[in-house]
Amino acid sequence: MPAKKKPQSKSESPLLIGAHCRGGIKGAVKHALEINAKPIQVFIGSPQTWLAPAPSLIEIAQFKSDVSQHNLGPVFVHGCYLVNLAAASADNLQKSIENLFLGLRYADAIGAQGLIFHTGSAGKADKQAALVTVVNSLEIVLADYKGSCRLLLEVCAGQGGTIGDQFSDLSTILSAMGHDKRLGICWDTCHLFSAGYDVSTQDGLNATIEEFERTIGFDWLYAIHANDSKTPLGARRDRHENIGQGHIGEAAFARMLQHKQLRSLPWILEVPGYQNKGPDRQSIETLHRLAQ
């Protein structure tokens, strides 16, 4: 396990508050500027089909230029929702590996710091066997990869036998991969809460922080998806809500945003938005207010 980072004090930690921005690499910068997002998360390809991402060299160059010109970032890519590195179906597993293999290299090409993806689901299969499948799949995806964009395994809400709803799952994967520096972790506050990590209370947050530090370590955490939860603690359902309008609540987000281990990380909103059009300026302003 690598050495732990020295925590920054609250005054030293910059605020990196952003959002998933619509329009892919063609429209994300425009959306980010409209809502005052600094970190940006985008889809490169279609998130709900196996259609391979295929941005042109011109589109990639323009996106990188616009991000630099407006001092945005860090940039993250969200992987395809169909990817399942634990799939029992050989066809689905092959498609998942190919999609993630190509997606990672495109994410690196656009200058992304991380490609965030859902590890997958064991379904009715044995979980330990599914974890072996995930590790084998990751080895293929990362074969000969020398880019700087990391694959970030996202904490999952726990529905449908998903891999990664417990920190121990992610720790097992990292250990089996030899703590490969091309990997990392992304938290999702809704997913944590739905999986049973009570980030809504001070004691629950402290326990969550302690368990993550003990089992994985904060050197491996690169981003946080900021989402309230429509469903109660431990519901094991992935239902995002606007900050302060769900079961986690504003006070909990204030505690998280002000925590020395979390404050300096990129916070990426994936909320419905106050007009139900996705993250908006008011959502960004809410996180800034709670961080004070």
Side-chain angles (χ1 to χ4, degrees):
M1 181 68 66
K4 306 294 189 292
K5 293 177 181 176
K6 180 181 178 181
Q8 291 177 298
S9 71
K10 179 178 174 180
S11 61
E12 293 173 333
S13 303
L15 278 175
L16 295 171
I17 294 175
H20 185 94
C21 294
R22 57 180 175 263
I25 64 172
K26 293 181 182 179
V29 170
K30 180 177 182 292
H31 185 202
L33 295 175
E34 288 173 351
I35 67 175
N36 196 30
K38 185 171 175 58
I40 302 176
Q41 180 179 274
V42 298
F43 293 126
I44 293 183
S46 171
Q48 296 175 326
T49 75
W50 287 120
L51 187 65
S56 71
L57 292 177
I58 293 175
E59 290 168 350
I60 292 172
Q62 186 64 59
F63 174 76
K64 292 176 73 174
S65 174
D66 290 345
V67 167
S68 177
Q69 176 186 345
H70 295 289
N71 193 31
L72 300 176
V75 172
F76 296 89
V77 171
H78 199 295
C80 174
Y81 291 133
L82 300 180
V83 165
N84 181 2
L85 296 189
S89 161
D91 181 57
N92 284 344
L93 184 60
Q94 182 66 25
K95 288 177 179 176
S96 297
I97 291 170
E98 290 176 352
N99 184 282
L100 200 59
F101 183 99
L102 186 59
L104 175 61
R105 284 144 181 88
Y106 272 125
D108 189 60
I110 70 167
Q113 185 179 102
L115 188 161
I116 299 167
F117 74 106
H118 302 163
T119 312
S121 172
K124 296 180 180 179
D126 175 74
K127 189 170 188 179
Q128 294 307 309
L131 283 166
V132 172
T133 302
V134 169
V135 171
N136 291 339
S137 301
L138 285 172
E139 289 174 343
I140 298 171
V141 171
L142 290 170
D144 300 321
Y145 174 68
K146 296 180 174 62
S148 58
C149 179
R150 290 177 171 83
L151 273 179
L152 301 184
L153 289 70
E154 182 173 350
V155 175
C156 295
Q159 72 275 31
T162 51
I163 303 292
D165 61 315
Q166 298 299 307
F167 295 153
S168 57
D169 289 351
L170 304 175
S171 177
T172 296
I173 293 169
L174 288 175
S175 295
M177 292 293 294
H179 291 96
D180 193 317
K181 295 294 183 63
R182 296 172 295 179
L183 298 172
I185 306 297
C186 172
W187 277 13
D188 182 302
T189 54
C190 170
H191 296 178
L192 285 169
F193 187 73
S194 294
Y197 291 98
D198 190 4
V199 294
S200 69
T201 68
Q202 182 68 70
D203 288 346
L205 176 61
N206 290 343
T208 301
I209 294 286
E210 188 280 329
E211 182 179 339
F212 189 81
E213 178 71 11
R214 173 170 44 83
T215 59
I216 297 175
F218 278 90
D219 266 3
W220 294 96
L221 186 62
Y222 284 91
I224 298 175
H225 285 163
N227 304 299
D228 212 320
S229 176
K230 288 182 182 292
T231 56
L233 176 67
R236 307 184 77 79
R237 298 182 68 197
D238 185 4
R239 298 291 185 270
H240 297 186
E241 182 56 280
N242 292 320
I243 305 301
Q245 295 185 341
H247 289 268
I248 299 176
E250 281 199 354
F253 279 94
R255 281 192 291 269
M256 287 187 279
L257 284 158
Q258 294 172 28
H259 195 285
K260 62 184 180 182
Q261 295 282 34
L262 306 177
R263 183 175 176 84
S264 63
L265 291 163
W267 287 72
I268 302 166
L269 286 153
E270 294 181 325
V271 293
Y274 294 95
Q275 304 298 322
N276 288 315
K277 295 180 179 179
D280 47 32
R281 182 176 283 266
Q282 186 177 347
S283 303
I284 297 282
E285 290 172 349
T286 295
L287 286 187
H288 276 287
R289 171 173 57 82
L290 295 175
Q292 303 307 313

